[in-house]
Amino acid sequence: NAGVTQTPKFQVLKTGQSMTLQCAQDMNHEYMSWYRQDPGMGLRLIHYSVGAGITDQGEVPNGYNVSRSTTEDFPLRLLSAAPSQTSVYFCASSSAYSGRSLNSPLHFGNGTRLTVT
Amino acid sequence: SQQGEEDPQALSIQEGENATMNCSYKTSINNLQWYRQNSGRGLVHLILIRSNEREKHSGRLRVTLDTSKKSSSLLITASRAADTASYFCATVPYGNNRLAFGKGNQVVVIP
């Protein structure tokens, strides 16, 4: 199994450009999420999804869009890149989401390192 | 806001010694999870402990949870150079489906 696959691994954007970070998982997980990791800040949740067609905002959603048209894919779109979005982005998925609680660990991809100049 | 806060932030130990990290949180939780991150890689899950559990073991790892103090600890016994990594605690608040991470704890094991 490939697990959680993120592409690209590295990306450089100019301010104002848009792009999509891809995330795919082959574990049939219902739950998927996007985090950003900045030095000294830990990981902060951007958006998450509890199933196809359902998305919700996390802690830092501004400037990002997501959609979940299939169980496997959860792309993250930057609408107009800003230097403040320079970060490492992680996609993660989980198998067990019951009721209103996340009950199982997250499986992480290896990240996308994004630089906005 | 950061739900989990690890203490200490950085730890340097000799190979073979034990390493202990603590994590505090603010709200009632459904479960608490510990992750490891090697440099330049994604996070890897270590242990999940539910709010009705007090202790869990996995190999050389031992996690305790004290819900009355809203704190958890991760103990790595007989550390190895390969344990050098950042360690994060993360919590799922009660009735919530978001996993909130602390800022992480950098551990260096000196051979």
Side-chain angles (χ1 to χ4, degrees), chain B residues 62-102:
Chain B
R62 171 177 169 255
V63 167
T64 62
L65 179 65
D66 187 334
T67 53
S68 67
K69 295 181 180 177
K70 292 186 169 58
S71 67
S72 173
S73 67
L74 170 66
L75 168 67
I76 306 172
T77 59
S79 62
R80 305 167 181 169
D83 295 327
T84 294
S86 293
Y87 293 82
F88 294 86
C89 79
T91 55
V92 177
Y94 182 76
N96 199 296
N97 50 25
R98 306 176 183 190
L99 186 63
F101 283 83

Side-chain angles (χ1 to χ4, degrees), chain A residues 31 35 37 48 100 102 106, chain B residues 31 35 37 96-97 99:
Chain A
Y31 186 98
Y35 288 86
Q37 184 176 29
Y48 66 100
R100 293 183 296 155
L102 181 61
L106 294 182
Chain B
N31 63 75
Y35 290 80
Q37 183 180 36
N96 199 296
N97 50 25
L99 186 63

Side-chain angles (χ1 to χ4, degrees), chain A residues 23-32 49-53 68-74 93-94:
Chain A
C23 175
Q25 51 93 7
D26 61 359
M27 298 173 283
N28 201 32
H29 285 173
E30 286 187 330
Y31 186 98
M32 296 187 74
S49 168
V50 299
R68 185 93 180 272
S69 56
T70 67
T71 299
E72 295 78 19
D73 300 298
F74 191 43
S93 69
S94 180

Side-chain angles (χ1 to χ4, degrees), chain A residues 31-55:
Chain A
Y31 186 98
M32 296 187 74
S33 55
W34 277 101
Y35 288 86
R36 60 178 289 174
Q37 184 176 29
D38 302 294
M41 298 292 291
L43 280 81
R44 291 181 292 170
L45 181 65
I46 305 172
H47 286 284
Y48 66 100
S49 168
V50 299
I54 306 169
T55 64

Side-chain angles (χ1 to χ4, degrees), chain A residues 58-112:
Chain A
E59 184 185 355
V60 288
N62 291 342
Y64 308 95
N65 271 0
V66 292
S67 60
R68 185 93 180 272
S69 56
T70 67
T71 299
E72 295 78 19
D73 300 298
F74 191 43
L76 178 71
R77 281 181 286 277
L78 279 70
L79 308 173
S80 177
S84 61
Q85 293 178 305
T86 294
S87 186
V88 181
Y89 291 85
F90 289 100
C91 179
S93 69
S94 180
S95 60
Y97 160 76
S98 66
R100 293 183 296 155
S101 282
L102 181 61
N103 287 322
S104 280
L106 294 182
H107 298 255
F108 279 82
N110 282 327
T112 294

